[in-house]
Amino acid sequence: MSAQQYQPSGLSDVTVSVDGDDTVVTFPRTLPHPVDQVWAAVTDPEMLAQWSPYTADRDLSSVGEAVIIMLSEDGSPDMSLPVSVRVVEESRRLEHEWGPDELIWELTPVEGGTHVVLTQRSRAEGMASALAAGWHLCFDVLDALLAGSPFGPVVGAKAREYGWDDLNARYARQLGIGESEVW
């Protein structure tokens, strides 16, 4: 799908809180796909590379050390980060580092799909609306991938072509905060 054909889905009920030095952004989304497919998408390196801004050097469905590979706009490897997968509850919960941040994935089967709650604990102050806008695009790409119509990943400046600026502004208004300047 081209940027001209893409229309972002409706905003999610994102919440933001502060915990010490961390900004905690919680992004819920219900996807019309079975939990096992969503679990594979958030743990399997080949699937991650098709919808997210990163992939990994191994399957993330087991506790231990890993390397997260950040992707460039063209999908090629850009930067590697050593990380630790801390918690794995098969098809339910995944906690791992993402650079200095932490990602917590919670998957719950619901009628007609999977309710996903992604929580990102970040040291990046003032980035809540940017994180929400970025994950919004990622979840739209993930939904399309699982529906059999892949078009991603949408990474870096390419996100602007897919409506990141508008999503950033809309999430800032929804959260009652100032827009993030960068992503």
Side-chain angles (χ1 to χ4, degrees), residues 58-120:
R58 67 169 181 88
D59 193 291
L60 299 177
S61 63
S62 63
V63 172
E65 301 307 306
V67 175
I68 295 291
I69 300 114
M70 301 304 296
L71 302 174
S72 65
E73 288 179 37
D74 65 3
S76 64
D78 186 35
M79 172 178 58
S80 297
L81 305 165
V83 300
S84 179
V85 178
R86 295 186 188 126
V87 175
V88 174
E89 295 174 24
E90 187 71 29
S91 297
R92 293 187 45 227
R93 186 177 181 91
L94 172 67
E95 296 182 20
H96 64 85
E97 296 168 347
W98 190 37
D101 292 2
E102 178 183 46
L103 296 182
I104 301 167
W105 300 89
E106 298 171 281
L107 282 61
T108 305
V110 295
E111 184 157 340
T114 303
H115 183 71
V116 180
V117 177
L118 171 60
T119 302
Q120 182 170 353

Side-chain angles (χ1 to χ4, degrees), residues 14 80 149 156 158 176:
V14 172
S80 297
S149 302
K158 183 178 175 184

Side-chain angles (χ1 to χ4, degrees), residues 156-173:
K158 183 178 175 184
R160 287 202 143 111
E161 299 169 27
Y162 285 81
W164 181 89
D165 291 309
D166 182 58
L167 287 167
N168 181 32
R170 291 172 56 205
Y171 276 114
R173 283 192 301 275

Side-chain angles (χ1 to χ4, degrees), residues 13-76:
D13 293 327
V14 172
T15 60
V16 176
S17 61
V18 176
D19 182 12
D21 292 336
D22 292 340
T23 298
V24 181
V25 179
T26 303
F27 193 102
R29 180 80 175 256
T30 299
L31 297 169
H33 309 286
V35 71
D36 60 323
Q37 288 181 2
V38 178
W39 179 257
V42 300
T43 59
D44 179 86
E46 289 182 29
M47 291 191 71
L48 280 166
Q50 294 181 59
W51 69 270
S52 75
Y54 66 94
T55 188
D57 71 333
R58 67 169 181 88
D59 193 291
L60 299 177
S61 63
S62 63
V63 172
E65 301 307 306
V67 175
I68 295 291
I69 300 114
M70 301 304 296
L71 302 174
S72 65
E73 288 179 37
D74 65 3
S76 64

